[in-house]
Amino acid sequence: MSVQYAYGTGTQREQPAAQPAPAAGKALPPDFGYDDEHPLLDVPFSLSINGQRYTGEKLSLMQLHATCDEGAPLGKGTHHVAILHFAFENFSVTLHPEITVLSEADDGASVFQFAHPTGHHLPQLRYILNSFIAGDFVTLDGMVSYTGPLEPKKAKGEAAKASIADRVRSISVAAVSGLLILAAAFVLFKRYTTGHEMHPVFIEQAGQMMRATAPGQISYLNPSAGKGEVLFSINANTGDVLNFTMPCDCEAVVSQGINEGATVLQTDLILTIFVNTSEIRAQTLMSIEGLNRAMNGDVVTMDLNDGRSVRVNVIASEATTAASMRGDLYIPVTLVPVDGALTSEDIGKSARLRLSKSLPWL
């Protein structure tokens, strides 16, 4: 029984049990295996038999030609289990066929025959040889690189579904990326055009502020004084006694921390006189940078804690000038809102000051 195997078909057919007798005067070559031997291919491989290593020269589905690197001859006609190894660029394939030694030369050149050509090694070996014939293998210095497909082709219906799914996925990724870019651009734009002051804004009833005109000690304080009566007195550091009189018959509220015997500096607020109880004002401490922005045309908005936003104008007073001249980082300012924007119900509320650049297209 002999077997013929085609690389592409994988069919078997029976042959007569006896080989045809050779013509007279013609002897068969010693490495002749079958009358329909497959062509030998120059596929790089290595062979190991009983611990002896061979460098592969040529290979077919029937025979192996290799050169012994080290070890003694195995013996012609002996039967062995070999380790057939193909080293690809990123992976390797190892087969374990049964082989028979056909010939061994003195220089180590050996010829082996597959004892069972249709054994378990056949599918892998046939695929490797067919791929080599098709040009899917590139050899570089004994290394085999495979450039063919790694998985079977998909059916047309599956390919169309995969194409639609990939397109939807690509569109989704592009949309999400665009939204993230827009969000990042909006954050950068807001950070460039908008700034907030650190200190809170206090909304209170407007009044006439009476401040110390010289540093010294308060020697007399009478917030209930009538019009023309002494409201408070200061013993100045220069030795003079400064008396301040009540300008009207109205309510006076003493500032926190001010009492008889307290020491004050120039421009310190002593008390506030309320002439018109319906007038409302807002005060806060602004940074020097924020005041410069407000003076250079930035829009100043007061965001109340109830969610409303009110446009205000920043008014610099004598206290603002004095604090700025002293080099203070934060200076007191008065905020004047739009008429009717604040009512008596807003007294006591707090707010946050926001500065925005005045851009021509906004």
Side-chain angles (χ1 to χ4, degrees), residues 8-9 24 49 81 90 94 100 118-119 129 131 138 157 167 185 209 211 223 230 238 266 292 316 336 342:
T9 61
I49 306 174
V81 175
N90 294 319
T94 301
T100 301
T118 59
L129 294 179
S131 298
V138 179
R167 184 173 302 177
M209 294 179 290
R211 301 179 180 274
V230 176
T238 58
Q266 187 177 358
N292 288 334
V336 179
L342 298 178

Side-chain angles (χ1 to χ4, degrees), residues 10-95:
T11 60
Q12 301 179 359
R13 70 169 181 265
E14 294 185 352
Q15 298 292 340
Q19 297 288 347
K26 292 184 178 180
L28 293 177
D31 59 348
F32 182 80
Y34 296 93
D35 58 354
D36 55 352
E37 174 65 276
H38 291 258
L40 294 167
L41 303 177
D42 296 330
V43 180
F45 67 94
S46 62
L47 192 66
S48 177
I49 306 174
N50 293 342
Q52 298 184 195
R53 299 181 60 85
Y54 293 80
T55 300
E57 302 293 341
K58 295 181 180 181
L59 176 69
S60 73
L61 286 179
M62 299 298 177
Q63 288 188 1
L64 305 93
H65 289 214
T67 301
C68 181
D69 297 330
E70 57 183 9
L74 298 174
K76 182 179 179 180
T78 56
H79 188 77
H80 307 275
V81 175
I83 300 176
L84 180 60
H85 185 75
F86 298 92
F88 293 92
E89 185 175 357
N90 294 319
F91 65 98
S92 63
V93 176
T94 301
L95 304 177

